[in-house]
Amino acid sequence: MSGKLITFEGGDGAGKTTQVALLSATLRAKGVNVLVTREPGGTEIGERIRDLILHDPVTLVTAAELLLIFAARAQHIVEVIRPALARDKWVLCDRFTDATFAYQGGGRGVPAERVTQLESIVHHGLQPDLTLLLDLPVTEGMARSVARGKGEDRFESQDVAFKERIRATYLARQASAAHRIRLVDASAQIEVVQAQIKKLVLQVLEP
Ligand code: TMP
């Protein structure tokens, strides 16, 4: 069995983290060697950068935010993702570069070409085998985040218009790369969402 990179995307409150955990349990039960990781983060330096980006009160200009995200990603790809794929692991990654197109591109207004340039420097051709886009209306995602009751990070505290731009960018990317990015209706119950995900993963990765 060869290694696979499966990424999970969506707005805040879409339930990615729960779904990653459920899928990893299912795959492990089938004997798949799974590695669960996340972005920004996934390495020691990446987690420190994550803290800076999400929780530090320092003002970050957009270019600094963008470069920090790609700095964390460069470390993550070389130190964690590539070695795991080389050992035939299935890497489940909670967010990846589609999030940069959506948040820094759609949200902050960074031109997509700029993100593509950094992607080519940092990825060296690496692309996810499958991306699951957990989509749900912005107001529903915000209500779920509030119900979860943890404090808001730098992005969760943005206004509705910012979050609508993120959702629209994700959906546009999905439409333009429909073979890789599969749409999942995240407004359903947890088990129903998981059933959709399982079906897509098995369909796409075990044809
Ligand atoms: P999460 O782990 O709860 O999804 O939080 C990560 C936050 O970081 C989320 O609000 C989206 C944001 N983010 C970006 O803005 N750009 C990126 O490239 C990534 C990976 C995450």
Side-chain angles (χ1 to χ4, degrees):
M1 204 185 284
S2 62
K4 305 280 181 212
L5 175 59
I6 306 175
T7 61
F8 288 72
E9 298 285 357
D12 296 298
K16 287 177 292 89
T17 308
T18 306
Q19 296 298 337
V20 169
L22 290 171
L23 181 66
S24 79
T26 302
L27 292 175
R28 283 190 177 118
K30 285 167 69 69
V32 178
N33 199 346
V34 178
L35 178 90
V36 173
T37 186
R38 68 172 180 182
E39 288 209 348
T43 65
E44 195 186 330
I45 189 72
E47 290 295 327
R48 284 199 241 161
I49 293 173
R50 177 188 178 93
D51 219 32
L52 199 63
I53 294 171
L54 296 186
H55 303 297
D56 198 294
V58 72
T59 304
L60 277 177
V61 296
T62 299
E65 181 181 280
L66 178 69
L67 292 168
L68 281 170
I69 285 168
F70 270 106
R73 182 164 297 139
Q75 193 78 21
H76 195 206
I77 289 174
V78 172
E79 200 177 300
V80 174
I81 298 179
R82 290 249 189 225
L85 294 174
R87 275 183 259 120
D88 293 341
K89 293 193 182 191
W90 286 32
V91 179
L92 307 188
C93 192
D94 192 338
R95 294 196 188 281
F96 199 52
T97 303
D98 292 303
T100 316
F101 282 96
Y103 282 76
Q104 281 62 49
R108 300 266 197 239
V110 174
E113 310 80 68
R114 181 94 24 101
V115 182
T116 304
Q117 280 174 334
L118 291 168
E119 177 185 43
S120 73
I121 292 170
V122 167
H123 280 225
H124 292 289
L126 178 71
Q127 278 299 330
D129 295 284
L130 174 67
T131 297
L132 297 155
L133 173 56
L134 275 61
D135 178 61
L136 102 159
V138 166
T139 47
E140 210 177 308
M142 290 170 81
R144 286 190 191 179
S145 294
V146 169
R148 217 165 44 186
K150 69 170 180 65
E152 287 184 322
D153 66 32
R154 198 185 295 271
F155 299 98
E156 284 165 332
S157 59
Q158 297 287 328
D159 62 16
V160 175
F162 182 88
K163 291 172 186 179
E164 290 290 2
R165 292 199 299 278
I166 288 165
R167 185 179 187 210
T169 308
Y170 267 136
L171 290 172
R173 276 185 77 71
Q174 192 279 322
S176 67
H179 55 285
R180 171 175 70 84
I181 309 177
R182 302 298 173 115
L183 194 59
V184 175
D185 174 9
S187 59
Q189 298 264 326
I190 287 177
E191 312 75 56
V192 177
V193 175
Q194 181 60 201
Q196 289 181 68
I197 289 175
K198 244 191 280 185
K199 198 169 151 202
L200 284 166
V201 168
L202 300 182
Q203 231 175 41
V204 173
L205 301 180
E206 288 187 343

